[in-house]
Amino acid sequence: MIDLYTWSTPNGRKVSIMLEECALPYTAHAINIGKDEQFKPDFLKISPNNRIPAIVDRDTGLSLFESGAILMYLAEKTGKFWPSAAEAHWQTMQWLMWQMGGVGPMLGQVHHFVKYNQGKAPYAEERYLKEAHRLYGVLDRRLAQVEYLAGEYSIADMATWPWISRFEWQTVDLNQYPNVLRWYKAIAARPAVQRGYHVPVPQPGIPMPG
């Protein structure tokens, strides 16, 4: 049994989707970041960086924070969604790190400046929107060559997809990126993704481009 401490954000959804894909039993504990619950002492014992998601594996007693580390741990625990063959293994790692170092931080800045603070910092809006479109371009070119980021569906896709699911927040038209659109819809149709998307708080639905 896994205890998942999470909220309805892209980083949180990475792990709930992985847990659903692996059919691992888990209990979700909502950490409402809008109410600063991530700063409570009990949560800080598990996640000293006061960020969701975090897990505790009751089988081993191990606790982990940082979504990328959790995905790798669960992939190793189950033997799923992270190929062992060297080339595919490192392709998966490469694209997972691309998400962790680029997609998440940069699109997060778009959310901050464009969605929540529009008009306050025009330079920042321009800078981060430009970087968002650069990243979408990288993703689109990659997905013109392969079905999924590392060839087969993997933790790299589970890490990246939840951030792309906020394309409306990023003012990005997915129709401009046809390969991303194909990939996005294919992943959105997966039953495990549909279940994981609604953890811990049910949502109106997965956003779909017009």
Side-chain angles (χ1 to χ4, degrees), residues 18 22 24 68-83 92 154-155 158:
M18 178 62 169
C22 293
L24 280 171
I70 296 169
L71 289 175
M72 289 188 284
Y73 174 78
L74 294 174
E76 287 202 350
K77 180 182 177 73
T78 61
K80 295 179 178 179
F81 303 112
W82 191 7
T92 305
S154 73
I155 54 174
M158 293 182 220

Side-chain angles (χ1 to χ4, degrees), residues 117-169:
N117 295 283
Q118 194 168 34
K120 292 183 179 179
Y123 171 75
E125 290 181 40
E126 180 182 3
R127 170 182 170 81
Y128 290 114
L129 277 171
K130 183 177 180 180
E131 178 63 5
H133 281 283
R134 188 191 71 81
L135 290 164
Y136 269 86
V138 172
L139 183 58
D140 198 65
R141 289 189 294 274
R142 173 61 177 170
L143 293 170
Q145 302 170 340
V146 289
E147 186 174 4
Y148 296 103
L149 279 168
E152 296 183 359
Y153 182 62
S154 73
I155 54 174
D157 302 287
M158 293 182 220
T160 306
W161 183 89
W163 282 98
I164 303 305
S165 76
R166 286 195 165 164
F167 61 90
E168 294 172 317
W169 290 28

Side-chain angles (χ1 to χ4, degrees), residues 41-60:
D42 286 348
F43 181 65
L44 288 173
K45 291 177 184 177
I46 303 166
S47 181
N49 195 36
N50 58 265
R51 295 286 187 273
I52 62 94
I55 65 166
V56 175
D57 186 341
R58 294 189 206 171
D59 293 340
T60 62

Side-chain angles (χ1 to χ4, degrees), residues 193-206:
V193 172
Q194 293 172 7
R195 293 191 298 270
Y197 184 84
H198 295 282
V199 176
V201 179
Q203 304 296 308
I206 292 175

